[in-house]
Amino acid sequence: MQIPFNRPYLTGKELHYLYQAVQNGHLSGNGIFTKHCHSFFQQQYGYKKCLLTTSCTDALEMTALLADIQLGDEVIMPSFTFVSTANAFVLRGAKIVFADSHPDQPNLDERLIESLITSRTKAIVVVHYAGVACNMTPILQLASRYGLIVIEDAAQAIDSYYEGRILGSIGDMAAFSFHETKNLQAGEGGMLTVNNADFVHRSEILWEKGTNRTAFFRGEVDKYGWVDIGSSFLPSEMVSAFLFAQLEHLQEIQQKRLHIWHRYANELAPLAEKGHFQLPVIPSYASNNAHMFYLVLPSEIMRTVLITKLKEAGVNAVFHYQSLHKSPYFNDKHDGRQLLNSDIFSDCLLRLPIFFELTEIQQLYIIDQISRAYK
Ligand SMILES: *Cc1c(COP(=O)(O)O)cnc(C)c1O
């Protein structure tokens, strides 16, 4: 049996909406399907302002522009994250100050943030790893005490909550991903949500290449022109039409993924109790959107052994995120602090296949292969 790590799910309506987008004769950005997607997210989750982007990376770059990051400004974020979280701010000349993860789960440890704040600190970027919320209350308290902007990298966090509040609505702004490895996908795609009213107006301008074109189309100004910096962050209608087909199946996708997630958790619990690995920890303030199922092995060698055994059995399990503070690009820019928990997750975390079309037979096979590895 060959089981891939991920298979992007097609709901069936994608080509239909793509055809409709072509028929509409408007394929550039901010057309009907883009508006459909914006209203869907605003109605479903109550986000104040949504703007689809061509990727989460682009949405993160928009957050750095909106936060008005200047050369030398400091931005605090976890080291255990994807490169785009940091790159978006490095592009603006920021100094990145990496924070360590919690000992029992990869999210940044909020108890470490205050000691990293200086007079140059401008923003805190939280990453809701695996769609599991960071502990936002203490982070928001710090931000308000020190006048910092809070940005959520919610790339993995669609349809997930912190103490009943939807992720992406808690910080000043947030970035989501619709990359084909995420719960909802459009091949490449993303979204910016803006919650702080101060940033809403400017977000539309940055999105439309530094012009007030969006206001022009709403009839608020009689001509549009260059009013600020910006870029081409908006996706074409082809991306939005494809994404819209996914949105219509959001509940079904989430239920299926949760079902798969819980089967892993239940079936692998006995091996975890024996100490072979740890299962994901979901704090009581966080919900689970089943973006990812991972194991934390006792050592890097044991992880390599398990990945190899699974590969021999046709199962593609993977690892990811090498601590950014040790990356070839950042290594000599880091201030030398050890970030041991981040390194442990870099070395020991293993991700199991989880996707909509993973069958029960395939999943039981994966679980059986893991059990055999420990016989
Ligand atoms: C996937 C991901 C990104 C990047 O998303 P793209 O849409 O591919 O740009 C950024 N941050 C995190 C935490 C991610 O998981």
Side-chain angles (χ1 to χ4, degrees):
M1 198 175 314
Q2 280 294 326
I3 304 174
F5 171 68
N6 179 53
R7 182 180 294 138
Y9 176 55
L10 295 174
T11 66
K13 272 276 196 89
E14 285 82 359
L15 289 178
H16 174 72
Y17 286 139
L18 273 169
Y19 182 79
Q20 229 174 287
V22 172
Q23 288 282 303
N24 287 343
H26 173 145
L27 283 176
S28 60
N30 204 11
I32 291 167
F33 281 106
T34 304
K35 292 190 172 77
H36 283 340
C37 292
H38 290 169
S39 345
F40 175 89
F41 285 114
Q42 273 153 7
Q43 279 162 19
Q44 179 87 10
Y45 298 122
Y47 297 128
K48 197 169 285 168
K49 178 76 184 171
C50 296
L51 289 171
L52 292 190
T53 57
T54 54
S55 65
C56 178
T57 302
D58 259 3
L60 286 164
E61 287 179 26
M62 287 185 75
T63 69
L65 286 165
L66 287 169
D68 198 26
I69 300 295
Q70 302 291 322
L71 186 67
D73 285 345
E74 294 178 10
V75 179
I76 298 169
M77 66 178 66
S79 177
F80 191 76
T81 183
F82 188 60
V83 287
S84 295
T85 320
N87 245 335
F89 297 88
V90 169
L91 282 170
R92 316 278 8 121
K95 180 183 163 203
I96 308 297
V97 179
F98 285 118
D100 206 359
S101 299
H102 273 273
D104 61 348
Q105 45 112 346
N107 279 341
L108 99 168
D109 188 336
E110 67 284 351
R111 296 166 298 186
L112 306 172
I113 296 175
E114 188 163 17
S115 67
L116 302 176
I117 296 174
T118 73
S119 58
R120 301 298 311 260
T121 308
K122 191 112 178 228
I124 303 170
V125 185
V126 300
V127 180
H128 304 301
Y129 183 78
V132 175
C134 293
N135 193 3
M136 295 307 290
T137 302
I139 294 170
L140 294 178
Q141 281 165 354
L142 277 178
S144 87
R145 190 168 339 133
Y146 291 93
L148 308 177
I149 294 168
V150 175
I151 295 159
E152 302 174 67
D153 180 339
Q156 308 178 1
I158 199 76
D159 198 45
S160 201
Y161 295 79
Y162 170 76
E163 290 183 342
R165 291 173 71 185
I166 187 72
L167 298 185
S169 76
I170 301 172
D172 293 280
M173 42 199 158
F176 288 92
S177 176
F178 306 117
H179 184 265
E180 71 173 22
T181 52
K182 305 301 200 291
N183 290 25
L184 298 176
Q185 64 107 7
E188 300 271 359
M191 178 170 71
L192 172 78
T193 58
V194 184
N195 309 308
N196 182 333
D198 294 347
F199 298 124
V200 168
H201 176 66
R202 195 164 181 239
S203 67
E204 285 186 338
I205 292 168
L206 299 181
W207 191 60
E208 277 270 29
K209 303 140 187 111
T211 74
N212 53 352
R213 194 163 177 263
T214 310
F216 171 71
F217 279 126
R218 277 198 303 261
E220 293 165 12
V221 291
D222 58 10
K223 57 180 186 299
Y224 78 88
W226 188 14
V227 295
D228 200 341
I229 55 171
S231 192
S232 186
F233 290 118
L234 75 175
S236 84
E237 279 283 286
M238 288 182 273
V239 171
S240 315
F242 188 104
L243 181 65
F244 190 62
Q246 299 262 312
L247 301 188
E248 292 186 330
H249 292 261
L250 171 71
Q251 297 311 331
E252 185 193 344
I253 291 171
Q254 291 303 90
Q255 273 168 22
K256 183 76 183 289
R257 294 185 73 105
L258 278 164
H259 188 74
I260 295 170
W261 196 99
H262 285 291
R263 190 186 283 132
Y264 273 137
N266 294 336
E267 300 288 328
L268 294 171
L271 289 170
E273 273 154 31
K274 285 189 187 142
H276 294 307
F277 42 71
Q278 283 167 29
L279 299 180
V281 169
I282 300 183
S284 58
Y285 51 72
S287 72
N288 176 14
N289 73 346
H291 171 60
M292 194 188 297
F293 194 90
Y294 64 83
L295 308 174
V296 183
L297 280 288
S299 71
E300 188 175 8
I301 292 171
M302 285 160 136
R303 178 176 74 177
T304 308
V305 169
L306 185 56
I307 288 179
T308 309
K309 284 188 178 171
L310 288 174
K311 189 152 206 95
E312 284 163 7
V315 177
N316 286 286
V318 301
F319 61 85
H320 74 161
Y321 296 163
Q322 297 298 290
S323 292
L324 292 183
H325 71 284
K326 287 188 168 173
S327 61
Y329 174 73
F330 202 83
N331 197 18
D332 61 357
K333 299 172 185 66
H334 181 60
D335 55 27
R337 279 173 301 118
Q338 291 211 307
L339 305 174
L340 295 175
N341 294 330
S342 176
D343 291 344
I344 287 172
F345 292 114
S346 300
D347 291 344
C348 304
L349 185 143
L350 182 157
R351 304 169 64 190
L352 296 177
I354 182 165
F355 51 88
F356 188 91
E357 289 164 303
L358 185 71
T359 65
E360 183 171 352
I361 290 171
Q362 286 176 317
Q363 197 186 2
L364 293 176
Y365 175 79
I366 296 167
I367 292 162
D368 186 49
Q369 292 304 317
I370 295 171
S371 307
R372 280 163 195 254
Y374 295 104
K375 283 255 162 68

